[in-house]
Amino acid sequence: MPVLQVNSRSIDQKNGEIWTAQADSQPIHHKSDRLLGEGSAFSFALTAQICATLETQGRSLGTVVDIAAADRGRRILVVDDNAEARMLIRDLLEPYGFAVMETGDGALAGKSVDSFQPDLIFMDWRMPEIDGLAATRQIRASKTLRQPKVVILSAYAFEENRREALAAGANDFMRKPIRKEELYALLEKHLGIHFVRESEAGREEKPQEPELTATDLAGLSAERRALLTEAARELNPAKMMAELGRIRNENPELAARLHDLVKNMQYRRLWQLLGIAGLA
């Protein structure tokens, strides 16, 4: 079947038009005129509805500055074959105490859900082996897997793409490139968490967190505590941050709060919590 016939049929199904024109001539509709023996340039026009975002739905998004203490530690799985895209989401979430797991293969999504038990998955649509919609269908078809929320990520921005994602079992759809405030708003919508935002009038008051005590560190394994103590005693920020990255696997909320101490150079307080004496 000729290529033009295939293309025109697809475009007609979407109520569009296709036409061809030669240089220095007016467009000629393909159904009534033919250009034989000459090269031609074909153009087409479609009418499509752009997928609504949280902004276009009228929701006001402010700059996120914090998260309520009770909402730290939620588990997020990122499935995307693009390592930079996975790292972007990790960097947006870990500072607020989220535990993040990554996989670059849609075929491994179900296995990751089984082992990690995420609260929500950010699932890329286009992946080389199994795409995000197929992976979502597999998860939804399972009778043994925990069923997390699923948000499909795609550069396609048409409403029909959103409907297709929802039909596959996703809970929502987000356009790429990712905008951090929209990502945070989706987490609030589907996980019922609360981010603190900075309004145009000024910074909102942060929720009060109970003061960190030595008792909060009691749950650390002996190895993790010893290595963190060694790094703190040396006043080595890079080493402390590396150890906090490992502690995050055991206790994401505690790791996030200790991270704040190191980031703000509150070493005296960290020594007190770890029972280290001698810091002047």
Side-chain angles (χ1 to χ4, degrees):
M1 183 179 292
V3 174
L4 175 59
Q5 184 176 351
V6 173
N7 288 340
S8 63
R9 179 178 299 173
S10 300
I11 291 169
D12 286 342
Q13 289 174 348
K14 298 180 181 296
N15 297 318
E17 289 191 349
I18 184 170
W19 63 87
T20 182
Q22 289 178 295
D24 302 322
S25 68
Q26 295 298 316
I28 305 170
H29 196 279
H30 79 282
K31 291 183 178 178
S32 58
D33 295 274
R34 306 290 176 91
L35 297 175
L36 300 178
E38 300 181 29
S40 301
F42 295 93
S43 303
F44 66 89
L46 293 173
T47 300
Q49 182 179 358
I50 298 297
C51 175
T53 65
L54 289 171
E55 290 93 339
T56 61
Q57 291 169 358
R59 181 167 184 170
S60 176
L61 302 180
T63 301
V64 167
V65 295
D66 204 354
I67 188 172
D71 292 328
R72 292 178 179 268
R74 305 301 287 270
R75 293 173 176 264
I76 306 297
L77 173 63
V78 184
V79 184
D80 196 318
D81 61 314
N82 186 314
E84 291 183 359
R86 299 197 307 268
M87 182 59 68
L88 171 61
I89 295 178
R90 178 183 287 276
D91 288 346
L92 291 174
L93 297 182
E94 286 190 338
Y96 297 109
F98 288 89
V100 180
M101 181 179 182
E102 305 174 23
T103 179
D105 188 347
L108 297 178
K111 183 177 180 180
S112 299
V113 170
D114 186 38
S115 62
F116 186 57
Q117 300 287 299
D119 298 295
L120 183 143
I121 304 173
F122 285 111
M123 179 86 74
D124 187 41
W125 186 324
R126 304 296 179 186
M127 290 183 284
E129 298 298 329
I130 295 181
D131 69 27
L133 299 195
T136 300
R137 292 188 190 99
Q138 289 181 356
I139 292 169
R140 294 303 188 222
S142 173
K143 296 181 179 179
T144 58
L145 290 178
R146 175 184 178 180
Q147 293 296 319
K149 303 290 185 180
V150 177
V151 176
I152 295 293
L153 308 176
S154 176
Y156 296 95
F158 298 123
E159 184 60 29
E160 64 185 77
N161 302 128
R162 177 186 179 87
R163 289 195 295 267
E164 188 176 355
L166 297 181
N171 299 93
D172 219 322
F173 180 90
M174 185 166 65
R175 291 185 298 177
K176 286 184 171 181
I178 293 170
R179 287 173 287 183
K180 63 180 181 179
E181 299 303 336
E182 185 177 355
L183 181 143
Y184 294 145
L186 280 170
L187 290 171
E188 287 183 315
K189 174 182 176 182
H190 292 292
L191 298 184
I193 63 177
H194 174 66
F195 285 102
V196 178
R197 288 179 167 79
E198 189 174 52
S199 66
E200 293 182 1
R203 184 170 177 146
E204 298 178 12
E205 184 179 354
K206 291 186 178 182
Q208 291 294 322
E209 293 185 354
E211 185 177 356
L212 198 60
T213 68
T215 304
D216 295 317
L217 277 65
L220 287 178
S221 66
E223 179 185 8
R224 293 276 77 82
R225 186 184 182 96
L227 291 173
L228 178 60
T229 299
E230 178 184 340
R233 194 185 299 275
E234 295 173 3
L235 295 178
N236 186 326
K239 194 171 180 179
M240 284 186 274
M241 286 297 191
E243 190 55 39
L244 289 176
R246 301 182 184 95
I247 291 174
R248 186 179 294 113
N249 295 327
E250 297 181 6
N251 191 327
E253 180 180 348
L254 176 61
R257 298 184 68 184
L258 291 173
H259 176 276
D260 290 341
L261 293 181
V262 176
K263 182 178 69 174
N264 296 319
M265 302 179 67
Q266 296 179 8
Y267 301 134
R268 183 188 300 276
R269 180 60 183 148
L270 183 59
W271 275 40
Q272 291 172 345
L273 293 171
L274 292 169
I276 302 173
L279 185 64

